[in-house]
Amino acid sequence: ALAVGRPIIATETKVCKGDYSKLRGVIWTGMDYEGFLESLIALHDRYDYFREEARSQALDFQEFSSDSSIDKIVTKIVEIL
């Protein structure tokens, strides 16, 4: 969704503070219903802001494409092995 300029709500994981910390247009939320509902309301209340953030991110999405991230993934897998 971000690649085409649409904001998203996503569950917080370790990657949201690391690999994905630079993503814009994302509302990070917890794993429970209440957290999702709060995020949904926040997105609704500030939709124009989050849409613009996502549009801006879509224009600069190369860093998150498979072409630029596949090497990072392979490196992480090799490190684990």
Side-chain angles (χ1 to χ4, degrees):
L2 286 177
V4 295
R6 298 290 183 248
I8 62 169
I9 297 172
T11 304
E12 288 181 338
T13 63
K14 291 180 183 179
V15 296
C16 76
K17 293 182 175 43
D19 295 339
Y20 295 151
S21 64
K22 297 178 187 175
L23 283 176
R24 297 179 313 277
V26 179
I27 298 177
W28 297 106
T29 190
M31 295 185 184
D32 60 5
Y33 169 78
E34 289 80 17
F36 179 78
L37 181 59
E38 289 173 13
S39 297
L40 191 59
I41 292 168
L43 176 59
H44 179 270
D45 290 347
R46 297 184 62 206
Y47 186 75
D48 290 339
Y49 168 78
F50 286 108
R51 182 180 60 192
E52 186 55 40
E53 287 287 296
R55 282 183 185 171
S56 174
Q57 180 67 70
L59 296 174
D60 187 27
F61 213 72
Q62 181 59 34
E63 179 180 352
F64 302 99
S65 71
S66 60
D67 289 341
S68 66
S69 61
I70 197 70
D71 290 337
K72 294 176 190 175
I73 294 168
V74 171
T75 300
K76 293 287 185 183
I77 292 171
V78 170
E79 287 174 359
I80 291 171
L81 299 175

